[in-house]
Amino acid sequence: MSSSDQYAVFGNPIRHSKSPEIHAAFAAQSGQNMVYRTHLVDDGMFAESAGRFFDNGGKGLNITVPCKVDAFQFADSLSDRARRAGAVNTLALQDDGTIYGDNTDGAGIVRDMLENLAWEMTDRRVLILGAGGAVRGILSPLLARNPRHIVIANRTVEKARLLAREFSELGEVRGCSYEGLAGSQFDLVINGTSASMMGDLPPLSPELLSETACCYDMMYSAEPTPFMRWAASEAAWAVSDGLGMLVEQAAESFCIWRGIRPNTGPVIEQIRASLNKPTG
């Protein structure tokens, strides 16, 4: 019997990662002979650790914080979306022995919104909260869906404006402060800040939401995040966390590695159920 192909997720911290459970489900569903593990990467050790993984027969890696820029620098070749994002979350060994880098985050959020949630993006007024690496990774695929415009709001306004300028050739996108949102209204609001992890919320006015506004938090947890609770209390038409994005970006990675697109619906349900299980 042939040995299993080796895959892993690299990051720090890493124990909380749902990626092994997700990819095990994909492999079982599609009959793939593969093993997927977590790997804690010490500070400054990404290149050495990744090099050793591939030298020892590894086929592909997922990359999470804080290693996505390290992975970008490690790759021998890059997809256009990875180059735009300036970060890589997927590394794949090629037939010629080189390492290909991609960023599947934006494809994951777009697929979750379009396929799983049935949200429309074309001609929608989109607001994105935050201007960090997570937001950078989703801008190109979102702009490819032809929204009417995208506004990036951030506490440090210059960071938002700089990011908007970098992507302005792909569509109408501008940056502003949270105060600069006054008088504007949006059909889709995406929380790309880490505020939800801290139990915090950016300063938002309920007037930002149109009558059919959808609100999406890129974070996920067993309980609704503060952003999701705010959106629901202000009568957003639909509200979602980022669990579907997590599974969809993983499916995109799986497709890059194995040439098969898994059925994500049952896996999203499986991971959601595992989040809600009591511990202890």
Side-chain angles (χ1 to χ4, degrees):
M1 183 176 174
S2 61
S3 61
S4 301
D5 291 339
Q6 301 295 310
Y7 296 87
V9 56
F10 276 26
N12 190 344
I14 201 65
R15 283 182 63 188
H16 68 289
S17 176
K18 295 292 183 183
S19 293
E21 187 180 349
I22 293 169
H23 284 282
F26 290 162
Q29 181 190 103
S30 55
Q32 298 295 294
N33 185 15
M34 57 184 282
V35 172
Y36 188 109
R37 298 184 173 93
T38 59
H39 183 89
L40 181 71
V41 180
D42 293 329
D43 289 348
M45 296 296 290
F46 178 84
E48 183 177 328
S49 298
R52 189 182 310 118
F53 174 83
F54 285 111
D55 288 345
N56 289 335
K59 299 290 188 181
L61 289 174
N62 280 137
I63 316 298
T64 188
V65 292
C67 302
K68 292 184 179 184
V69 174
D70 294 323
F72 180 89
Q73 295 164 346
F74 181 84
D76 298 309
S77 62
L78 296 164
S79 68
D80 287 342
R81 58 193 182 186
R83 194 173 289 107
R84 282 267 182 198
V88 158
N89 78 337
T90 304
L91 292 172
L93 179 67
Q94 304 295 281
D95 291 339
D96 63 1
T98 61
I99 305 300
Y100 170 73
D102 201 353
N103 189 311
T104 66
D105 286 334
I109 194 172
V110 167
R111 194 171 181 88
D112 188 35
M113 288 182 181
L114 292 180
E115 302 294 330
N116 301 325
L117 301 171
W119 293 2
E120 186 53 70
M121 275 182 252
T122 303
D123 201 37
R124 292 298 193 263
R125 299 164 295 178
V126 179
L127 169 62
I128 303 179
L129 310 175
V135 171
R136 177 182 290 274
I138 66 172
L139 275 172
S140 178
L142 284 174
L143 285 162
R145 303 307 306 182
N146 298 312
R148 188 181 306 178
H149 59 245
I150 291 180
V151 175
I152 303 167
N154 194 56
R155 293 185 193 274
T156 307
V157 65
E158 193 44 50
K159 196 172 179 184
R161 288 173 178 160
L162 179 62
L163 191 56
R165 283 196 294 271
E166 287 185 43
F167 285 83
S168 59
E169 68 188 68
L170 301 181
E172 186 180 336
V173 54
R174 68 179 180 87
C176 70
S177 64
Y178 289 116
E179 294 74 20
L181 294 171
S184 299
Q185 201 167 65
F186 299 92
D187 309 302
L188 173 60
V189 182
I190 300 171
N191 182 27
T193 73
S194 58
S196 283
M197 301 294 282
M198 319 298 173
D200 196 10
L201 188 68
L204 301 172
S205 163
E207 277 115 39
L208 291 171
L209 303 180
S210 71
E211 287 186 1
T212 57
C214 299
C215 292
Y216 192 98
D217 199 328
M218 291 172 66
M219 303 295 175
Y220 68 93
S221 64
E223 299 297 324
T225 66
F227 172 75
M228 293 171 68
R229 290 197 298 270
W230 171 83
S233 70
E234 300 303 340
W237 182 71
V239 181
S240 179
D241 70 1
L243 181 61
M245 174 185 173
L246 174 73
V247 176
E248 292 294 349
Q249 63 82 23
E252 188 83 0
S253 297
F254 190 89
C255 192
I256 291 166
W257 295 330
R258 311 300 292 186
I260 296 168
R261 179 165 293 283
N263 181 9
T264 53
V267 182
I268 293 172
E269 291 180 13
Q270 176 185 328
I271 302 301
R272 179 74 68 196
S274 75
L275 286 180
N276 292 324
K277 274 183 189 168
T279 57

